[in-house]
Amino acid sequence: MSKSKRNSGLRFQPAGGSRTPQIPTGKKQRLRIERLAGDGRGIAFFEGRTWFVSGALAEEEVEARVLNAHGKVVEARLERVFSASPERRQAPCKHFDRCGGCNLQHLAHADQLALKQRLLAEQLQRVAGVVPERWAAPLSGPEFAYRRRARVAVRWDNKAKKLEVGFRAEASQDIVAIEDCPVLVQPLQSIMRHLPMLLQSLSKPQVVGHVELFSGTALALLLRHTAPLAEGDLGRLQAFCKEAGVQLWLQGEGEPYPLDAGQSLGFTLAPWNLELAYRPGDFVQVNAAVNTAMIEQALAWLAPQADERVLDLFCGLGNFALPLARQAREVVAVEGVQAMVERAAANARSNNLHNTAFFQADLSQPLTASGWAAGGFSAVLLDPPRDGAYEVVRKIADLGAKRLVYVSCNPATLARDTLELVRQGYRLKCAGILDMFPQTAHVEAMALFEAG
């Protein structure tokens, strides 16, 4: 027998040992869930792999279907519950099993708050090695009908010659058709019910990029289009918006603009008798009730006095700066985007506030070289994006602030920045969660630091 024939049946192992066989998508597996991950998915361990199972709760026996697997990590979706957690409830939304928007509806609201509180505490302890001197009660509002802004996914199916309208499915680019979304504020729920039929009735629906809905001082619909709208289609959109009492905003290649140039959009901060204008695309907090409570708590913790100079970093449209200006002698507000600086300054003028100064600056860099930092501040408020404010806090003690309130949308970067603040001599006096996004695992938090 030739050498080639003798070896033809051999299977050689690659260098480094045997390769772990991959788990095929769609495979179902029975698992015991150990605990919940930071994103709200259940964690299970089976045959050397870590499974993340959306829809599952701690201590449950479940059957999970694989969505994808890579290395030792498997992402899966709950298919069946054999032994349910006492914390489990029937998800109120009929789209919960497919829509990727709300991943905690199967958990009672009080238990959602407890989970978020635990996640914040774990991050502060693990990363920064600190526990606040006092825990604040969670700030929360209604668990449904809270969302005043929503982005609606739209995609033209060329094979079916049909426009799909809805929200993205979990871990997928698929679009789930939504008849009703219980987390939207009531006026937007009504628009959402009629929106798919409107968009599908257009003669050129394939030019629709996406749609955003807004509820503030007025209702607004922004339609992003990838090519010019047909005249008849524009007429249909106008007629729909007129009947629904909704502003129509359009966006092609440039900035969004209202079809009626005389229209404006904004939101109110009633406790301070303020109205802030914004345009679609500007950042605004989606939860009006929790936003108001958040500002009230930030002002109570920061306690600005009538003779003090206060710094507001990442100020946006002036959500914190304008209420602060009602109490402090002077507010210096800083934002990275020049257009937002200009709109925030305009909001101050329209509310007859003249003790504010707005500046554009790269807030990924230290502040001390900036001219507006000269003279120091009694107190500082920060509301950074998800990646936090590490470069800002590295030199923040040089500003002389005795009190600092940090509003965070990411406990991991809050914990990292807390460690830096502690190194500079600040103490974590108080911390608590802000339930800005009920029915999701998204955790927002507020922390108060004091020098000395």
Side-chain angles (χ1 to χ4, degrees):
M1 185 181 293
S2 70
K3 183 177 179 181
S4 62
K5 287 186 177 180
R6 287 199 308 270
N7 290 343
S8 62
L10 295 178
R11 296 292 182 265
F12 292 98
Q13 298 290 348
S18 61
R19 180 177 299 170
T20 303
Q22 282 301 309
I23 299 180
T25 299
K27 174 182 171 61
K28 295 180 181 180
Q29 180 63 55
R30 185 163 180 155
L31 301 164
R32 175 169 177 79
I33 305 300
E34 301 292 333
R35 63 180 187 273
L36 291 187
D39 61 6
R41 292 182 295 177
I43 297 177
F45 303 97
F46 184 73
E47 293 186 345
R49 289 184 169 91
T50 302
W51 292 62
F52 293 89
V53 184
S54 60
L57 296 176
E59 301 182 1
E60 289 188 330
E61 293 280 349
V62 305
E63 182 180 69
R65 178 174 55 84
V66 175
L67 298 175
N68 60 71
H70 39 91
K72 297 289 188 179
V73 175
V74 182
E75 295 181 324
R77 174 97 188 162
L78 178 73
E79 285 284 302
R80 182 180 175 189
V81 179
F82 298 109
S83 175
S85 164
E87 296 177 346
R88 176 172 290 279
R89 70 173 179 182
Q90 181 68 35
C93 178
K94 62 183 178 182
H95 304 291
F96 172 71
D97 63 341
R98 292 199 61 221
C99 180
C102 298
N103 64 339
L104 285 184
Q105 282 197 15
H106 58 303
L107 187 63
H109 191 218
D111 295 319
Q112 293 181 29
L113 296 177
L115 170 64
K116 295 176 183 184
Q117 176 71 39
R118 177 174 64 79
L119 293 173
L120 174 60
E122 287 176 352
Q123 286 285 355
L124 289 171
Q125 178 64 58
R126 183 176 63 83
V127 177
V130 299
V131 176
E133 295 180 16
R134 178 174 66 87
W135 282 108
L139 281 188
S140 64
E143 61 169 316
F144 291 102
Y146 69 84
R147 193 178 183 101
R148 60 179 172 181
R149 177 179 182 177
R151 179 166 174 157
V152 182
V154 175
R155 182 175 59 200
W156 174 252
D157 185 333
N158 200 43
K159 183 180 290 188
K161 302 299 181 186
K162 181 182 178 182
L163 190 72
E164 298 177 331
V165 182
F167 294 125
R168 297 284 180 192
E170 181 191 15
S172 168
Q173 291 300 306
D174 292 346
I175 293 177
V176 180
I178 301 292
E179 299 168 16
D180 188 41
C181 178
V183 299
L184 297 183
V185 295
Q186 289 294 342
L188 295 189
Q189 289 190 37
S190 177
I191 299 171
M192 189 70 199
R193 279 192 285 271
H194 298 96
L195 184 64
M197 186 177 295
L198 165 70
L199 298 178
Q200 289 159 0
S201 74
L202 301 179
S203 64
K204 292 185 177 180
Q206 59 267 39
V207 308
V208 180
H210 69 261
V211 173
E212 292 188 54
L213 305 177
F214 305 86
S215 175
T217 54
L219 299 175
L221 183 156
L222 168 67
L223 186 139
R224 171 81 171 90
H225 53 92
T226 57
L229 293 168
E231 187 174 337
D233 289 345
L234 184 57
R236 288 185 183 91
L237 291 165
Q238 287 178 287
F240 173 85
C241 289
K242 183 177 180 180
E243 183 177 351
V246 176
Q247 295 180 9
L248 177 59
W249 291 63
L250 299 176
Q251 184 178 16
E253 293 182 357
E255 293 295 311
Y257 66 94
L259 205 60
D260 180 347
Q263 292 180 330
S264 63
L265 186 61
F267 63 95
T268 60
L269 297 175
W272 304 276
N273 192 29
L274 295 168
E275 182 175 318
L276 280 68
Y278 72 92
R279 300 171 65 86
D282 292 347
F283 173 78
V284 293
Q285 296 287 2
V286 303
N287 191 323
V290 173
N291 183 54
T292 298
M294 174 180 71
I295 297 169
E296 289 177 328
Q297 179 168 284
L299 266 62
W301 289 10
L302 207 60
Q305 302 301 302
D307 61 345
E308 290 185 324
R309 186 174 189 239
V310 177
L311 177 62
D312 177 15
L313 297 173
F314 308 91
C315 70
L317 294 168
N319 191 53
F320 288 104
L322 272 57
L324 281 167
R326 294 286 197 215
Q327 296 180 219
R329 171 177 60 84
E330 180 187 359
V331 175
V332 173
V334 187
E335 170 60 46
V337 180
Q338 181 61 34
M340 296 289 276
V341 172
E342 293 169 3
R343 288 207 264 282
N347 280 331
R349 290 193 298 270
S350 67
N351 285 280
N352 200 31
L353 290 169
H354 305 293
N355 59 336
T356 58
F358 294 87
F359 298 93
Q360 187 277 332
D362 180 357
L363 291 174
S364 67
Q365 301 300 317
L367 304 175
T368 48
S370 303
W372 45 259
F377 301 91
S378 301
V380 176
L381 186 143
L382 304 92
D383 185 13
R386 288 190 59 79
D387 55 2
Y390 181 70
E391 290 301 326
V392 168
V393 302
R394 281 181 64 194
K395 299 288 186 179
I396 209 155
D398 294 345
L399 300 176
K402 300 300 183 185
R403 307 182 306 283
L404 187 148
V405 165
Y406 190 130
V407 180
S408 168
C409 58
N410 184 352
T413 52
L414 171 61
R416 178 203 65 197
D417 294 350
T418 293
L419 180 59
E420 178 58 33
L421 288 166
V422 169
R423 284 174 179 160
Q424 292 185 53
Y426 286 94
R427 291 175 294 127
L428 179 56
K429 296 289 291 184
C430 190
I433 63 165
L434 315 171
D435 190 32
M436 193 67 74
F437 298 91
Q439 315 311 325
T440 80
H442 186 78
V443 183
E444 302 226 351
M446 186 182 295
L448 170 65
F449 298 89
E450 290 187 0

